[in-house]
Amino acid sequence: MTDNGFSRRRILAGGLGVFAGVAVAQTANAAPLSSSSTADEVASRPSTIPALREWTAGSGAFRIGPSARIVVRAADSRRLRSDAQVFAEDLRALTGHDAPVVVTDAAPRDGDIALDLRAADAVLGTEGYQLTVDKSVRVSARASAGVFYGTRTLLQLLRQDTSIAAGTARDWPRYAERGLMIDTARKHHSYDWFVSQIKDMAYLKLNYLHWHFSDDEGWRIESRHGLESAEHLTKQQVRSLIELATRHHITVVPEIDMPGHLGYALKAHPEFQLKDADGNVTATKIDYSIPAARRFLRDLVEEYLPLFPGPYWHMGADEFLGEAQFANYPQLGKYAQQELGSSATAQDGIRHLVNEFNKLVRSRGKTLRVWNDTFTADVAFPVDESVVVQWWTDLNTPIPSTNPVAPQDLVSQGYTVFNASFFPTYDYPDYLKPAAATPRALYENWTANRFHGFAYFDDYGTGFPFHDLDATEPNLLGSAVHFWNDGAASSTWTEEKTAESLFPRLRVMAQQTWESAPLVSTYAEFEPIVQRLGSAPS
């Protein structure tokens, strides 16, 4: 919590309609909808989540049977071995057919499913694919991720019927990052829960899992410093989950939130707790002006950096102090001036801390991510442009800023941004469910380039500020559902309830971040599709 008693995770609580067409950026993973796509072709697309970008109906059908094989060319066998094996496991769980993976350069037989990397279409990027359904099926892509996503489409089609109507699809995502943030610091989630969630995310072509495992209430991964909560995952369990996520083309992004939200870690180091000029202690924030405290933070990050081999590290950097509060902590101002010069302010000191950890993670080949709290206008010592900014709120934050930086301003300054809007991407236990947090709001009143701040609580945000980026902005990475296990209801909340709450939201997020033309215009029409496609087969 902040010193004024509020937190983004502790608050009780003009829309943009779903479009019929799509215009997307010409990036590595995205391209405009082909001009050859007609309204009839869009309307005839089979039911999938996310919807197929293009579909041309054929004649006849493919039927899965006991003689089905998964065929991979010899030239592709090394790169597609894992994807073919995962597909075989899921196909067995879904249909009961034990389709063997066969490496051969011979033409596929009727009833086979062929996977290859021969697609020459540059529009497909690294995650797109072409799906051809006839008496056999062919999934062709430029990279293994595209082949994998083609198999997810097949699983969804086969869940609805053992026979798939003939046709050809071209499909690719608009946004590079599509996924889920889960707060397990406040509520432990088991190894098996993560396994199920990773498989379900992959079923929806979601590829981004942000793991907030430390906070004031808990520390949920084994630590050599002995910081872990009684309920936690071992490092070996984490390695196994990361291996599973990698096989399902999901990037895991760990977060140790600092210099605020460190209450649980600081129980073991009360000497590092932040004290004001009168000696009053804030037990959840660290005094980073103390050299030993900074070494402690560095040790924590260096312990976990090797555990998470992905490209990102998240340090939080949110909800530390309001601008007016820094004056109560003169040591922070002194630290900033020691590090940056006499013109530096106390607020510059926290930005300097971010830059120091940016140097650390970049030296290990990773990119730093932070929440947007420290980004204010007209600063002499800004955060380095290489840091990814996850924008969750604006002027209406619980820790007010007199000069908040809007998403468009961040992009103009050279930053890459991620849409973590307080609503409608945030989800909580039952105590916090305003209309703006519903799956309906996420489906009908939001797109990934629309950012809503802290005040977005009423029915779809009427009268409250929002910030739109251009729909083709290349420096917008994407978005995710953010589940915070916070508030009074969290004491009786269960991981099963979390999964239940996430189920519809992840499906909407998959559609909105893939950003193909939606099959239907309202959430009421979308719900039957959600139920028909169900969960990942295994």
Side-chain angles (χ1 to χ4, degrees), residues 1-7 10 216 261 282 284-285 319:
M1 286 181 60
T2 69
D3 290 346
N4 63 6
F6 292 93
S7 164
R10 299 296 302 270
D216 300 336
H261 294 282
T282 302
T284 61
K285 307 180 194 302
E319 297 183 327

Side-chain angles (χ1 to χ4, degrees), residues 298 305 357-366:
R298 186 181 180 96
L305 276 171
F357 278 92
N358 182 44
K359 292 177 184 177
L360 171 61
V361 302
R362 283 175 67 82
S363 72
R364 308 300 172 82
K366 299 181 187 296

Side-chain angles (χ1 to χ4, degrees), residues 49-50 178-182 193 196-209 424-425 427 439 442-443 479-483 498-514 523 526 530:
I49 299 175
R178 314 171 300 276
L180 167 67
M181 189 228 77
I182 182 67
W193 186 91
S196 177
Q197 205 63 54
I198 287 169
K199 291 182 178 181
D200 199 47
M201 288 175 63
Y203 185 58
L204 304 168
K205 305 183 181 74
L206 297 172
N207 65 357
Y208 172 91
L209 178 59
T425 76
D427 190 22
L442 196 65
Y443 190 86
S479 189
V481 177
H482 298 77
F483 195 95
T498 302
E500 181 181 351
S501 187
L502 287 175
F503 182 84
R505 289 172 172 81
L506 289 177
R507 280 141 182 83
V508 176
M509 183 59 69
Q511 175 60 47
Q512 301 296 61
T513 52
W514 195 266
Y523 183 69
F526 186 64
V530 169

Side-chain angles (χ1 to χ4, degrees), residues 31-369:
L33 188 64
S34 170
S35 59
S36 64
S37 297
T38 67
D40 288 343
E41 288 170 348
V42 170
S44 69
R45 290 171 299 165
S47 293
T48 60
I49 299 175
L52 297 175
R53 193 169 293 279
E54 296 179 358
W55 173 258
T56 302
S59 59
F62 166 84
R63 180 173 294 277
I64 190 75
S67 62
R69 304 181 304 166
I70 299 170
V71 177
V72 179
R73 294 189 314 142
D76 299 329
S77 61
R78 181 181 60 83
R79 288 186 290 169
L80 293 183
R81 181 183 298 112
S82 175
D83 300 302
Q85 290 173 345
V86 171
F87 181 47
E89 293 166 6
D90 291 337
L91 199 60
R92 184 184 310 114
L94 178 65
T95 68
H97 296 306
D98 194 359
V101 177
V102 178
V103 178
T104 178
D105 290 333
R109 305 184 310 215
D110 290 355
D112 284 349
I113 300 171
L115 312 178
D116 72 60
L117 295 170
R118 288 188 286 184
D121 188 350
V123 169
L124 299 179
T126 59
E127 295 188 289
Y129 61 94
Q130 181 168 313
L131 172 66
T132 304
V133 180
D134 202 335
K135 293 181 179 180
S136 63
V137 172
R138 179 188 177 202
V139 178
S140 186
R142 295 169 59 85
S144 61
V147 169
F148 181 78
Y149 292 139
T151 66
R152 303 303 94 181
T153 295
L154 280 174
L155 291 172
Q156 291 189 9
L157 296 174
L158 289 169
R159 179 178 287 281
Q160 299 168 79
D161 198 325
T162 56
S163 178
I164 303 175
T168 301
R170 287 172 75 238
D171 199 20
W172 62 89
R174 158 63 179 95
Y175 292 102
E177 294 180 358
R178 314 171 300 276
L180 167 67
M181 189 228 77
I182 182 67
D183 164 26
T184 64
R186 294 173 176 83
K187 176 66 65 173
H188 176 65
H189 284 52
S190 67
Y191 175 86
D192 289 341
W193 186 91
F194 272 99
V195 169
S196 177
Q197 205 63 54
I198 287 169
K199 291 182 178 181
D200 199 47
M201 288 175 63
Y203 185 58
L204 304 168
K205 305 183 181 74
L206 297 172
N207 65 357
Y208 172 91
L209 178 59
H210 174 177
W211 190 350
H212 183 94
F213 69 86
S214 72
D215 214 297
D216 300 336
E217 295 83 356
W219 193 283
R220 299 300 180 179
I221 297 177
E222 176 187 0
S223 170
R224 70 186 182 202
H225 292 84
L227 300 177
E228 65 270 8
S229 305
E231 289 185 300
H232 67 274
L233 297 182
T234 67
K235 289 182 178 178
Q236 185 53 52
Q237 286 177 311
V238 173
R239 292 186 189 98
S240 296
L241 290 174
I242 292 173
E243 180 182 359
L244 179 72
T246 300
R247 293 184 71 206
H248 287 78
H249 293 269
I250 292 173
T251 296
V252 180
V253 180
E255 180 186 356
I256 296 179
D257 202 347
M258 58 175 69
H261 294 282
L262 279 170
Y264 203 87
L266 291 175
K267 289 180 180 181
H269 290 279
E271 71 275 16
F272 298 152
Q273 292 172 343
L274 185 64
K275 297 179 183 178
D276 67 14
D278 296 323
N280 299 309
V281 174
T282 302
T284 61
K285 307 180 194 302
I286 197 166
D287 187 345
Y288 53 81
S289 72
I290 301 172
R294 295 196 300 277
R295 289 195 295 271
F296 173 61
L297 293 181
R298 186 181 180 96
D299 286 347
L300 289 178
V301 174
E302 289 185 325
E303 175 183 359
Y304 290 99
L305 276 171
L307 184 61
F308 292 91
Y312 292 112
W313 181 269
H314 204 303
M315 74 170 287
D318 65 313
E319 297 183 327
F320 187 65
L321 293 172
E323 291 179 1
Q325 296 171 318
F326 275 95
N328 299 327
Y329 304 89
Q331 72 273 31
L332 300 182
K334 183 178 179 181
Y335 163 77
Q337 292 178 354
Q338 287 175 339
E339 295 293 321
L340 299 170
S342 60
S343 65
T345 67
Q347 296 95 308
D348 291 325
I350 192 170
R351 288 186 279 268
H352 175 71
L353 187 73
V354 170
N355 285 336
E356 288 298 299
F357 278 92
N358 182 44
K359 292 177 184 177
L360 171 61
V361 302
R362 283 175 67 82
S363 72
R364 308 300 172 82
K366 299 181 187 296
T367 296
L368 190 70
R369 303 175 80 114

Side-chain angles (χ1 to χ4, degrees), residues 458-517:
D458 72 334
D459 191 5
Y460 311 129
T462 304
F464 285 116
F466 59 82
H467 312 270
D468 283 352
L469 289 181
D470 189 279
T472 62
E473 173 54 58
N475 287 332
L476 174 55
L477 289 174
S479 189
V481 177
H482 298 77
F483 195 95
W484 297 101
N485 276 295
D486 196 15
S490 65
S491 62
T492 57
W493 199 251
T494 65
E495 62 181 29
E496 290 80 13
K497 288 183 178 180
T498 302
E500 181 181 351
S501 187
L502 287 175
F503 182 84
R505 289 172 172 81
L506 289 177
R507 280 141 182 83
V508 176
M509 183 59 69
Q511 175 60 47
Q512 301 296 61
T513 52
W514 195 266
E515 207 181 67
S516 52

